[in-house]
Amino acid sequence: MAVQTSGRPEMVPAQLSRDLGLFEITMVGLAAMIGAGVFVLTGIAAGVAGPALILAFALNGVVTLLTGMVYAELGSAIPGAGGGYLWVRQGLPGASSFMAGWMDWFAHSVAGSLYALGFGAYVGLMFEELGIGYLGLSPDNFSKVAGVAIVLIFVYINFKGASETGAVGNIVTAGQNAIIALFIVSGLWVIFKQPDSFASFTPFAPGGMKGVIQAMGLTWIAFEGYEIIVQTGEEVKDPRRNIPRAIFISLVVVVPTYLLIGIVAIGAVRPETAGVASWQWLGQHAELGLARAGEQFMPLGSILLLLGGLFSTTSALNATTYSSTRVSFAMGRNRHLPAIFAAIHPRTRVPHMALLITGGLIISMVVGAPIADVGAAASIMFLLLFLQVNLASITIRRKYGDKLAHGYMMPFFPWLPIIAICSQLVLAVSMFEFSPLAMYIAVAYIGVGFVIYYTYASKRERAAQATPVLMEERTAPDAEGFSVLVPVANPANVGNLLGVARGLLQSQHGELRLLHVSTVPPQLPLSVGREFVLEARPVIDAAASRAHELGLDPSVLLRVAHRPADAIADTVHETGANYVVIGWRGASGDPRTKIGSNIDRIIQRANTNAIVVRGDVQIPARRILIPVQHPEHGHLMAGLAAQLVEPEGGYIELMHVVRSGLSPQERAERAATVRASISSFDATEQSDDGGAGVSPETRARRKMRFRIRIHEGDDVTRTVLERSRDFDLLIMGATQQGWLRRTVWGDTTSRVARQAECPLMLVNLKAGPLQFNVSQFFEFFWDVADADDD
């Protein structure tokens, strides 16, 4: 017998240094918003929406403000590296948090590669103006070389620390904002000096609302920079006050600035070609539209806009490098990515490995990615990320709102995040139509993320969160075969559970596992549970001794947890137990539970066949009653009962309750349906080999008879309770009220279970993986609703 003791040391999470103030994080947000996006995307969006580009900017400002309020609330209450990824992890179930981080990391990295290539293009233009040329390279290759160089420079700057990153960002942001301010002032001067400039705004929306919505989607990436502000949560001073203030200050600056840029770009431009509208001229120049417009009316337009392009691309690259690094660092710390992402340099207190890997990802896309369509895919990722954050804000407020210290709370909850969710979904769909390749890239990347989550990240996450194992004694070397898990709390009641387990193991060779959970009060760390090993040993030894008396050779396991249900579910995940046999003391006083809080939680968390035993169940049983509400489930329940019934003289009755007044023909059809569902267990069936090679136990079980009874009754609960008085065991199964609303068992089943006088077994059969995951998803939100009602 192998004995193993184990336990995880309690790790102190890696901490970042708090060096950033309100001014620094506001400038980080401005750098990401008033950056390369507005220089590159204004001309393209004008060509799509026409003068309605101004409306697209205004509507984006409204949607941005709605989500900005969500970010301000969550950023003040739950500050931390990772931002939206962190909140989705808190507020949404399953793979949502991993996918939020996965998309956020991708979106910011791709945006960084766009800005690096933009920087390379502006450097190439500057070299051309100076007569230096492209140093023997093609313009495209020169842009890539210069882009790689600037990425390496900003990886080094970010490595030096958050304060150095913020200082460099402040310098370049101030420079670009000064140039944009000069662009706006010069353009407005031209517009008001030439009143006919207002004719450029007619027709206002040549592309209709479709063009406006597509322009919103295209320019969305230019509005998302406030998301980077919350990434500083662990590095900002007084985050509860400063994060909301920085978000709102940046939005107050950015939205009016974009509206003015749109007005100037449309109204101040004079196309050289007759008959071409200013918005068409901007669209023709695409990513250089804003630069070419400034050349017409700005003093030193060419030089200043060249400097503006260099400033904007470098400031945006700095911000996105910082943000994508923090997201991948948070994912590494939460075990969604390998632990190397969570490493922090001992001197600079920077997540240096996450920074290096992110820098490599940005460089790889600078060198080889189809950057235009991948950039559109990045916009889709940002929209889907913000959609998840808005949804998470609703669940977090309802589950934890009174437990969090908010620096800001949004008004009109939850209607504002709901409006933002609908708006972002519309914009994401519009981007799919605008760039089919972007849709394919986004879908493929999301698909890869799901594969990584279910094959790697979910296992690491579960292992990190699993309740500690204090002792394990294993008798069977093969832990992957058929097994039955029996949680042991009271040795005096373990006999009933072991009798059921023995019945299951007689029909299929396998292993019995006994589990005892030492519970620790929630306010204490689990590490104190190690002190309970000596107290728990007699309990598990007594259960093992009883199992030996029944001819079973069990493995034993001792865990420590705040809630027994969590330890049982963790053991099911780790061992792949085919059955869990659980004792039940009776009805809970909590009206929110179906059977009991621990049992409900086990069924919700562990996808296995669960058998709940109440009363003095004697196995094998002579008379077993199985109410069958849905005949298609009859063969599953009959198959279980066949393993528990007395071989000689025992019988199983399957009762089906119908409403009063059913015709004889309908009653016969119901009976035939139930009998058909258990045909594989009917005693009239004979094997092809005439019984040769069939074990004596199996031949004995074939002598039993299944009885089908149709009962009339308008009250199913009362009818089942009256019939159960004549039986030694009542077996109730899960109903098809199922996975949308039913917490564990249907209402009829739970009412019968609470009132039945005879020994009882409740059975919840294992679901398919898809059905179980969907069930967990919906039950998460029902839990939120229940928490809101408390």
Side-chain angles (χ1 to χ4, degrees):
M1 178 180 293
V3 181
Q4 174 186 347
T5 60
S6 61
R8 296 181 186 85
E10 296 197 7
M11 303 297 291
V12 177
Q15 300 293 322
L16 304 174
S17 59
R18 294 192 180 274
D19 297 327
L20 304 178
L22 174 62
F23 178 75
E24 285 82 8
I25 62 173
T26 303
M27 295 300 284
V28 166
L30 291 175
M33 285 188 276
I34 308 179
V38 70
F39 274 85
V40 173
L41 297 174
T42 299
I44 300 173
V48 173
L53 168 68
I54 302 167
L55 177 60
F57 280 156
L59 293 176
N60 261 349
V62 173
V63 179
T64 299
L65 178 61
L66 297 179
T67 303
M69 286 190 283
V70 169
Y71 269 77
E73 174 173 322
L74 296 180
S76 69
I78 314 175
Y85 159 72
L86 173 66
W87 306 327
V88 173
R89 179 180 173 82
Q90 297 286 336
L92 296 182
S96 300
S97 63
F98 174 84
M99 293 309 302
W102 183 247
M103 291 188 291
D104 200 1
W105 188 31
F106 173 81
H108 280 112
S109 297
V110 171
S113 65
L114 283 168
Y115 303 147
L117 282 173
F119 173 85
Y122 276 106
V123 170
L125 180 59
M126 180 179 69
F127 277 25
E128 187 178 14
E129 292 284 338
L130 295 174
I132 300 174
Y134 294 99
L135 305 179
L137 300 173
S138 67
D140 183 58
N141 287 336
F142 181 88
S143 296
K144 291 182 178 181
V145 170
V148 170
I150 196 63
V151 171
L152 292 174
I153 290 172
F154 275 98
V155 166
Y156 176 74
I157 291 172
N158 276 261
F159 174 75
K160 295 293 289 181
S163 59
E164 286 78 4
T165 302
V168 173
N170 293 345
I171 295 171
V172 295
T173 302
Q176 75 173 20
N177 288 347
I179 292 171
I180 289 175
L182 181 59
F183 175 87
I184 292 173
V185 170
S186 301
L188 290 176
W189 177 263
V190 170
I191 290 173
F192 286 103
K193 276 187 62 178
Q194 302 175 4
D196 62 334
S197 298
F198 292 99
S200 299
F201 296 95
T202 305
F204 183 69
M209 279 306 299
K210 178 180 179 181
V212 172
I213 292 173
Q214 288 186 344
M216 290 175 67
L218 280 169
T219 58
W220 179 261
I221 194 173
F223 285 83
E224 58 79 30
Y226 61 86
E227 197 262 343
I228 297 179
I229 293 174
V230 303
Q231 304 287 2
T232 68
E234 289 185 36
E235 296 163 276
V236 63
K237 305 168 186 174
D238 192 6
R240 188 162 288 112
R241 294 179 65 249
N242 285 335
I243 287 179
R245 291 165 67 190
I247 289 174
F248 290 124
I249 290 171
S250 63
L251 291 179
V252 166
V253 173
V254 165
V255 176
T257 298
Y258 279 3
L259 292 174
L260 291 171
I261 288 174
I263 291 171
V264 167
I266 298 294
V269 164
R270 293 293 178 268
E272 301 90 348
T273 306
V276 176
S278 59
W279 61 270
Q280 293 172 321
W281 183 88
L282 290 167
Q284 292 169 0
H285 287 281
E287 67 273 10
L288 295 178
L290 199 67
R292 297 305 184 193
E295 291 177 353
Q296 290 192 4
F297 53 79
M298 274 183 68
L300 301 175
S302 298
I303 297 175
L304 290 179
L305 285 173
L306 177 61
L307 290 175
L310 292 173
F311 279 137
S312 68
T313 51
T314 52
S315 64
L317 175 60
N318 179 58
T320 52
T321 301
Y322 176 91
S323 179
S324 54
T325 296
R326 267 51 183 183
V327 172
S328 59
F329 162 74
M331 294 182 74
R333 190 167 59 180
N334 292 329
R335 299 178 71 87
H336 277 157
L337 290 177
I340 191 174
F341 283 87
I344 290 183
H345 195 274
R347 180 173 55 82
T348 63
R349 307 303 298 166
V350 166
H352 58 296
M353 297 307 299
L355 174 62
L356 291 175
I357 295 170
T358 298
L361 177 61
I362 295 174
I363 288 173
S364 68
M365 288 185 287
V366 167
V367 172
I371 214 66
D373 290 297
V374 176
S379 291
I380 296 172
M381 296 296 187
F382 278 126
L383 287 164
L384 296 179
L385 169 66
F386 293 149
L387 186 153
Q388 291 182 83
V389 171
N390 277 288
L391 183 58
S393 72
I394 298 173
T395 63
I396 288 174
R397 172 87 78 92
R398 289 184 168 176
K399 291 185 75 171
Y400 311 114
D402 58 344
K403 302 177 181 66
L404 298 174
H406 292 85
Y408 167 82
M409 295 184 74
M410 77 188 89
F412 306 112
F413 177 88
W415 298 111
L416 295 187
I418 290 174
I419 294 171
I421 289 170
C422 296
S423 302
Q424 287 153 1
L425 188 60
V426 170
L427 294 180
V429 171
S430 75
M431 291 305 298
F432 288 158
E433 183 179 356
F434 179 80
S435 175
L437 181 57
M439 176 186 68
Y440 301 143
I441 293 172
V443 170
Y445 188 80
I446 291 172
V448 171
F450 274 111
V451 171
I452 293 175
Y453 176 77
Y454 284 108
T455 60
Y456 174 78
S458 62
K459 296 177 182 179
R460 284 174 50 84
E461 182 182 38
R462 187 178 297 125
Q465 297 173 351
T467 52
V469 175
L470 300 185
M471 183 195 72
E472 183 174 10
E473 297 179 359
R474 182 169 297 164
T475 57
D478 180 10
E480 297 182 358
F482 182 84
S483 65
V484 179
L485 176 66
V486 178
V488 176
N490 185 353
N493 299 327
V494 77
N496 288 337
L497 307 183
L498 292 176
V500 175
R502 182 179 64 172
L504 297 171
L505 290 167
Q506 282 178 340
S507 63
Q508 184 169 350
H509 177 71
E511 179 185 9
L512 171 65
R513 290 189 174 98
L514 301 178
L515 169 68
H516 179 71
V517 183
S518 293
T519 56
V520 175
Q523 62 269 24
L524 296 179
L526 291 178
S527 59
V528 304
R530 306 182 198 287
E531 303 173 5
F532 302 148
V533 175
L534 294 179
E535 297 178 14
R537 187 72 207 216
V539 177
I540 203 76
D541 285 346
S545 176
R546 182 74 178 104
H548 286 298
E549 293 174 5
L550 296 174
L552 302 172
D553 189 16
S555 297
V556 298
L557 186 67
L558 176 62
R559 304 188 87 120
V560 60
H562 293 304
R563 301 177 66 170
D566 293 335
I568 295 170
D570 289 339
T571 305
V572 171
H573 287 306
E574 293 170 7
T575 65
N578 302 88
Y579 282 89
V580 176
V581 182
I582 318 165
W584 181 38
R585 289 175 295 183
S588 167
D590 189 342
R592 295 174 300 178
T593 64
K594 293 292 183 180
I595 302 301
S597 58
N598 274 317
I599 294 175
D600 288 7
R601 188 171 175 85
I602 292 167
I603 303 304
Q604 290 169 357
R605 287 197 54 197
N607 188 21
T608 188
N609 300 299
I611 299 177
V612 178
V613 179
R614 193 208 65 188
D616 187 15
V617 175
Q618 298 295 323
I619 300 298
R622 182 171 178 271
R623 299 170 299 173
I624 299 178
L625 176 66
I626 304 177
V628 179
Q629 289 183 261
H630 299 278
E632 60 268 27
H633 288 169
H635 72 287
L636 299 173
M637 301 305 299
L640 174 63
Q643 302 174 68
L644 306 176
V645 72
E646 188 174 295
E648 298 292 342
Y651 66 89
I652 301 168
E653 177 176 309
L654 283 83
M655 67 174 293
H656 182 61
V657 181
V658 299
R659 67 181 185 276
S660 302
L662 203 66
S663 69
Q665 180 180 356
E666 290 176 311
R667 288 168 60 94
E669 290 174 353
R670 294 289 184 91
T673 301
V674 175
R675 177 165 292 282
S677 72
I678 62 165
S679 61
S680 60
F681 301 101
D682 199 314
T684 60
E685 285 195 358
Q686 302 295 325
S687 62
D688 294 337
D689 60 5
V694 177
S695 69
E697 293 174 351
T698 302
R699 284 197 295 270
R701 291 185 186 280
R702 284 180 175 169
K703 295 179 182 179
M704 65 188 173
R705 304 270 318 166
F706 284 96
R707 302 178 180 179
I708 311 298
R709 295 287 185 269
I710 304 297
H711 295 264
E712 287 189 356
D714 295 324
D715 188 334
V716 175
T717 300
R718 181 185 302 172
T719 304
V720 172
L721 289 172
E722 291 175 353
R723 183 59 181 160
S724 67
R725 297 192 183 105
D726 299 327
F727 286 81
D728 303 309
L729 176 61
L730 172 64
I731 300 180
M732 298 282 288
T735 73
Q736 281 190 333
Q737 294 179 31
W739 44 271
L740 281 177
R741 180 60 185 98
R742 178 184 51 80
T743 304
V744 179
W745 285 277
D747 291 335
T748 299
T749 304
S750 61
R751 288 200 302 270
V752 171
R754 292 167 185 268
Q755 300 176 45
E757 298 176 3
C758 70
L760 171 74
M761 282 175 44
L762 294 173
V763 181
N764 191 81
L765 297 172
K766 183 176 182 178
L770 178 60
Q771 180 181 351
F772 181 71
N773 288 329
V774 172
S775 174
Q776 284 191 310
F777 182 84
F778 281 101
E779 284 169 353
F780 176 90
F781 290 102
W782 283 113
D783 287 344
V784 171
D786 290 341
D788 191 43
D789 293 337
D790 288 347

